[in-house]
Amino acid sequence: MSLHIGDIAPDFTVGTQNGEISLHEWAGDSWVFFFSHPADFTPVCTTEMGRTAQLASEFDKRNVKPLGLSTDTAEEHAKWIEDVNETQNTNLVFPIVADADLKIAKLYDMIHPDQSETAAVRSVFIIDPDKKIRLTMTYPMSVGRNFDEILRAIDALQFSDKHGVATPADWREGKEAIIPPSVSDEDAKSRFPQGFTTLRPYLRTVKID
């Protein structure tokens, strides 16, 4: 199944090491960082799970709930988490989907045959409170994710939603944003009374505090 930005994230009910969850109900009014892993007790996955746990306060202040997935059982997840906590010096508490039958991995197109027929690649789905998929990323099994970029992308999505703007390359909070071309100069003057800079008719930047 091919999922696109703007699609409603498919709902599912599944076991985790914390008990059964239904995605939409569990997410509630929060954003979701849904990310898959090839397998428990593997080196890159251990560092990624640990990094997610270390960033718990960063996700929390953005109203984001992390949700992992690995193609192993809930019992194996629980044992693996002991290793994650010990080797990464953290305390992992977010749920990890138990997907030993690959049902959820296939639903979200996380199985890429050139990488593996039985293990998920490193997929990322950022899902908003309306349960819409807002961003996707896919990494091969050999490359760990950049969590600075994941947080930056979430910040950009939330900032754009709040202010009705776009964000330029390498945008971070405090930097100028872009006024979308669909907004006329007249509307821009009303929406951004602080003023904006016109570099080209299609490229207008604005500082939003």
Side-chain angles (χ1 to χ4, degrees):
M1 179 178 180
S2 181
L3 295 174
H4 300 140
I5 290 173
D7 288 349
I8 297 296
D11 198 12
F12 55 79
T13 299
V14 69
T16 77
Q17 87 282 6
N18 296 339
E20 187 176 88
I21 66 167
S22 294
L23 175 62
H24 288 191
E25 180 182 6
W26 172 82
D29 295 327
S30 297
W31 292 67
V32 175
F33 164 47
F34 183 32
F35 63 120
S36 60
H37 296 264
D40 295 356
F41 302 103
T42 53
V44 177
C45 301
T46 298
T47 65
E48 290 189 318
M49 284 294 184
R51 188 62 181 140
T52 304
Q54 292 165 0
L55 291 169
S57 63
E58 294 295 323
F59 286 113
D60 187 57
K61 75 181 185 182
R62 292 167 172 81
N63 189 31
V64 176
K65 291 182 176 180
L67 177 64
L69 177 145
S70 183
T71 53
D72 292 290
T73 66
E75 292 75 21
E76 288 170 314
H77 291 349
K79 293 176 182 177
W80 179 37
I81 287 169
E82 294 178 6
D83 283 359
V84 173
N85 288 341
E86 182 176 351
T87 62
Q88 306 305 303
N89 191 30
T90 191
N91 180 33
L92 193 161
V93 297
F94 60 86
I96 304 173
V97 168
D99 194 34
D101 61 3
L102 309 183
K103 182 178 179 181
I104 310 304
K106 290 178 179 177
L107 179 64
Y108 276 77
D109 196 25
M110 295 169 172
I111 303 295
H112 293 204
D114 185 62
Q115 292 281 298
S116 173
E117 295 282 354
T118 59
V121 292
R122 301 185 193 285
S123 297
V124 171
F125 293 87
I126 304 299
I127 302 167
D128 72 15
D130 292 327
K131 313 303 180 287
K132 286 186 177 181
I133 295 170
R134 298 295 301 278
L135 180 148
T136 64
M137 303 179 189
T138 304
Y139 292 70
M141 292 182 178
S142 60
V143 178
R145 278 164 273 226
N146 183 325
F147 282 81
D148 288 339
E149 169 58 12
I150 289 167
L151 291 174
R152 189 203 71 84
I154 292 169
D155 286 342
L157 287 168
Q158 294 180 345
F159 187 85
S160 295
D161 285 358
K162 181 177 180 180
H163 298 288
V165 295
T167 55
D170 297 330
W171 177 89
R172 290 188 179 274
E173 191 172 354
K175 290 190 174 183
E176 289 186 328
I178 291 173
I179 300 173
S182 58
V183 178
S184 68
D185 281 346
E186 183 178 352
D187 287 344
K189 289 174 184 177
S190 174
R191 290 171 57 176
F192 307 107
Q194 70 272 39
F196 55 89
T197 301
T198 301
L199 300 172
R200 291 291 188 275
Y202 61 86
L203 179 54
R204 296 163 297 170
T205 61
V206 61
K207 184 68 178 295
I208 299 174
D209 294 324

